[in-house]
């Protein structure tokens, strides 16, 4: 009777039997003693109550109730006292490499919200296309948003692209707010910038025009931190992002920044000399600190991919997404007081196929490894699972890749670790199939989840 519950609640006490709820049930109670996002659901033979201290807690309690409802309309009698282990329970959608419609994004968000995920990290710009309307820089929507052909192995020569208007983005932000999901926009700089450099070539070291990428390479064309105009541009974009997105966090990327153009650029070399930096790696540190300071001066919190730590940042400079930390800097950063989000490729990169990342590899992701001290573990904000879209051209494919693995991420984020034995989790994930199909999300077939 509890086989539909996902994520697993922190405390569940079955009382035996079941009954239909009356129209006025559950009775809603405000209980300031409950944790934010927590709730207490009590369904006895005599009454059904849902207690919470915040609207988010009420929303999560109602999601649990929705999952408890049996096909005959009854709900099992039970006491559930529940709250999340982690405050960051995220999913990321890459809209640059392949773009989705507003309706597709809403469908995905709706699905994610049923499993108590609460952060939508939106990867809005990258080498293969810019997807965010910026009024001050109209060529981003007009020029940087399009590439010459579909690319990524698809030989369709048709111009490919598109850009979300501010009205569309506000619509999605409101849709998320109704489901207690924060939207975190990503402005990926100074690398992954060839689309914007195609629109504004003077922002690179050489000023040469470059094409919007249509393959999975990392472009060598990056922003020039030797030029003040680069900072003017970034701050102009950030001002509009800060106005548009009400959430606390702004992601500034910082991943995979080739340094060849900086090594050869007189302005970058002058900046390195003037600022007393050692090399181009430290120049990225300078860039990150300066952009992060701008964001913080507007009362927001910057986030970066783990490469931003290569130049050595202070724990209060940024929040860091740990995706591929081959220099082991995230653990040290967290142990020194920095906040990190667990997002490692081998567990939660949902664009990797099921042969490379079977469902059980996602479910067995340890968010609090022993490489973290007790204090370091306190600095893990939670988990995030991205879907990169180089090889994900359609929404159907996106759903196939994300469901059920996103459900495993949701359970780890809410319960804090694998909550039950793996076959039990698998059965609870499979039990979501019809409810997801009803809203237009088709899960991967069970036989594909854990290939031999
Ligand atoms: Zn330069």
């Amino acid at each position: 009777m509890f086989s539909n519950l996902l994520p697993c609640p922190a405390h569940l006490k079955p009382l035996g039997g079941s009954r239909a709820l009356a129209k006025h049930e559950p009775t809603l109670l405000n209980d300031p003693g409950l944790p934010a996002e927590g709730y207490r659901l009590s369904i006895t033979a005599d009454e059904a109550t849902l207690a919470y201290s915040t609207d988010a807690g009420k929303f999560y309690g109602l999601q649990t109730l929705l999952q408890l409802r049996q096909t005959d309309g009854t709900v099992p009698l039970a006491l559930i006292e529940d709250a999340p282990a982690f405050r960051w329970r995220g999913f990321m959608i890459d809209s640059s490499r392949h773009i989705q419609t507003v309706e597709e994004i809403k469908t995905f968000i709706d699905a994610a919200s049923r499993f108590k995920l609460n952060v939508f990290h939106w990867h809005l710009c990258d080498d293969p296309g810019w997807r965010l309307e910026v009024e001050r820089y109209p060529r981003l929507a007009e020029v940087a948003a399009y590439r010459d052909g579909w690319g990524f192995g698809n030989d369709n020569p048709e111009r490919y692209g598109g850009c979300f208007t501010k009205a569309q983005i506000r619509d999605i932000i409101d849709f998320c707010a109704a489901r207690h999901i924060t939207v975190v926009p990503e402005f990926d700089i100074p690398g992954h910038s060839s689309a914007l450099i195609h629109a504004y070539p003077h922002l690179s070291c050489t000023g040469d025009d470059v094409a919007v990428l249509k393959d999975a390479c990392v472009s060598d064309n990056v922003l020039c931190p030797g030029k003040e105009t680069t900072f003017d541009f970034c701050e102009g974009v950030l001002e509009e992002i800060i106005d548009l997105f009400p959430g606390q966090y702004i992601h500034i990327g910082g991943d995979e920044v080739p340094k060849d153009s900086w090594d050869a650029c007189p302005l970058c070399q002058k900046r390195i000399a003037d600022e007393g930096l050692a090399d181009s790696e430290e120049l990225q540190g300078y860039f990150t600190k300066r952009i992060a300071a701008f964001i913080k001066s507007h009362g927001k919190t910057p986030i970066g991919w783990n490469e931003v730590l290569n130049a050595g940042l202070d724990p209060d400079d940024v929040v860091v997404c740990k995706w591929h930390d081959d220099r082991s800097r995230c653990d040290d950063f967290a142990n020194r007081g920095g906040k990190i989000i667990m997002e490692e490729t081998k567990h939660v990169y949902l664009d990797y196929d099921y042969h490379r990342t079977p469902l059980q590899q996602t479910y067995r992701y340890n968010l609090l490894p022993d490489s973290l001290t007790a204090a370091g573990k306190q600095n893990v904000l939670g988990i995030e699972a991205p879907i990169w879209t180089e090889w994900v051209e359609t929404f159907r494919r996106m759903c196939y890749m994300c469901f059920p693995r996103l459900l495993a991420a949701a359970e780890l984020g809410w319960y804090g670790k694998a909550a039950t034995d793996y076959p039990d989790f698998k059965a609870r994930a499979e039990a979501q199939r019809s409810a997801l199909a009803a809203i237009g999300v088709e899960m991967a077939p069970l036989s594909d989840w854990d290939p031999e």
Side-chain angles (χ1 to χ4, degrees):
M1 292 173 104
F2 300 96
S3 60
N4 281 348
L5 282 186
L6 203 162
C8 184
H11 303 286
L12 163 68
K13 185 180 174 197
L15 299 177
S18 62
R19 69 173 174 90
L21 293 186
K23 266 215 170 80
H24 66 274
E25 290 182 307
T27 304
L28 302 176
L29 301 171
N30 192 277
D31 180 349
L34 289 172
E37 296 196 303
Y39 65 92
R40 187 173 56 243
L41 183 62
S42 165
I43 306 163
T44 69
D46 304 320
E47 61 172 359
T49 59
L50 172 60
Y52 48 85
S53 64
T54 67
D55 285 346
K58 175 181 165 189
F59 179 79
Y60 298 134
L62 291 174
Q63 297 312 307
T64 297
L65 193 57
L66 197 66
Q67 290 182 343
L68 283 174
R69 196 176 292 273
Q70 310 291 301
T71 46
D72 64 2
T74 64
V75 292
L77 306 186
L79 298 175
I80 295 177
E81 184 124 18
D82 201 8
F86 292 103
R87 64 170 135 138
W88 194 285
R89 305 181 302 278
F91 56 99
M92 191 217 83
I93 297 176
D94 170 9
S95 291
S96 172
R97 291 172 176 86
H98 285 98
I99 191 169
Q100 305 77 26
T101 67
V102 169
E103 284 312 308
E104 287 168 346
I105 288 177
K106 284 184 175 177
T107 298
F108 196 95
I109 290 164
D110 189 27
S113 74
R114 290 165 186 238
F115 305 100
K116 305 183 176 74
L117 292 164
N118 68 346
V119 176
F120 168 30
H121 168 184
W122 199 355
H123 192 75
L124 280 161
C125 54
D126 207 312
D127 290 314
W130 182 278
R131 308 285 175 235
L132 166 69
E133 179 188 23
V134 178
E135 282 153 45
R136 190 161 150 195
Y137 299 105
R139 284 175 60 81
L140 292 173
E142 291 160 8
V143 177
Y146 294 91
R147 60 183 183 245
D148 182 19
W150 278 53
F152 294 99
N154 182 330
D155 58 10
N156 186 339
E158 217 175 89
R159 190 167 177 249
Y160 182 93
C163 194
F164 296 102
T165 65
K166 286 191 169 174
Q168 287 175 320
I169 289 173
R170 280 191 199 99
D171 182 28
I172 287 173
I173 290 169
D174 291 346
F175 189 84
C176 284
R179 289 158 182 78
H180 298 276
I181 291 175
T182 299
V183 184
V184 177
E186 181 176 350
F187 174 31
D188 195 353
I189 46 177
H192 288 285
S193 299
S194 57
L196 80 85
I197 289 171
H198 176 58
Y200 296 100
H202 68 281
L203 297 172
S204 74
C205 289
T206 62
D208 295 340
D209 187 18
V210 297
V212 178
L213 273 198
K214 51 183 179 175
D215 59 36
C217 295
V218 173
S219 174
D220 292 335
N221 290 290
V222 301
L223 297 177
C224 176
K227 298 177 180 173
E228 279 306 299
T229 47
T230 299
F231 290 94
D232 293 343
F233 171 85
C234 291
E235 290 174 7
V237 172
L238 283 167
E239 279 171 359
E240 293 196 27
I241 287 175
I242 288 164
D243 278 350
L244 182 58
F245 292 89
Q248 181 60 36
Y249 296 90
I250 309 281
H251 204 301
I252 52 171
D255 56 317
E256 299 179 316
V257 185
K259 306 291 191 309
D260 301 353
S261 66
W262 295 0
D263 289 343
C265 170
L267 292 174
C268 284
Q269 292 307 308
K270 181 173 187 308
R271 178 82 76 189
I272 287 170
D274 290 351
E275 298 294 332
L277 307 171
D279 53 20
S280 292
E281 196 68 62
E282 288 199 359
L283 183 56
Q284 186 177 347
Y286 167 85
F287 178 87
T288 305
K289 273 179 180 277
R290 204 168 144 180
I291 295 294
F294 180 81
I295 291 170
K296 286 193 286 190
S297 74
H298 287 75
K300 303 278 184 171
T301 305
I303 306 181
W305 298 105
N306 56 238
E307 288 96 322
V308 298
L309 295 180
N310 290 351
L313 294 183
D314 297 324
D316 60 354
D317 283 331
V318 285
V319 171
V320 169
C321 289
K322 178 181 181 178
W323 72 283
H324 179 66
D325 185 24
D326 54 358
R327 303 194 203 182
S328 300
R329 286 183 167 145
C330 290
D331 292 346
D332 174 59
F333 183 69
N335 291 340
R336 286 190 293 123
K339 304 290 184 202
I340 63 171
I341 296 158
M342 301 296 276
E343 192 160 358
E344 283 174 275
T345 53
K346 66 180 178 181
H347 293 290
V348 288
Y349 265 39
L350 304 183
D351 53 310
Y352 289 10
D353 69 28
Y354 286 88
H355 287 274
R356 192 163 169 193
T357 306
L359 175 61
Q360 59 177 316
Q361 192 166 308
T362 303
Y363 194 57
R364 294 192 171 135
Y365 186 15
N366 179 8
L367 302 183
L368 301 173
D370 291 337
S371 46
L372 293 170
T373 62
K377 288 177 182 177
Q378 297 289 319
N379 291 322
V380 175
L381 295 184
I383 185 172
E384 187 173 286
I387 178 74
W388 300 98
T389 56
E390 285 95 328
W391 316 112
V392 180
E393 286 186 4
T394 64
F395 185 65
R396 185 187 167 93
R397 178 74 182 165
M398 188 164 133
C399 293
Y400 171 91
M401 299 303 273
C402 293
F403 295 91
R405 289 182 294 187
L406 187 59
L407 307 186
E411 178 139 308
L412 296 174
W414 185 272
Y415 193 79
K417 56 188 176 181
T420 63
D421 63 75
Y422 182 62
D424 179 82
F425 168 73
K426 231 171 147 169
R428 287 185 292 117
E430 177 61 21
Q432 311 304 320
R433 185 177 298 280
S434 59
L436 285 171
I439 58 167
V441 170
E442 197 175 330
M443 290 175 86
L446 183 60
S447 56
D448 288 5
W449 296 3
D450 292 294
E452 288 297 315

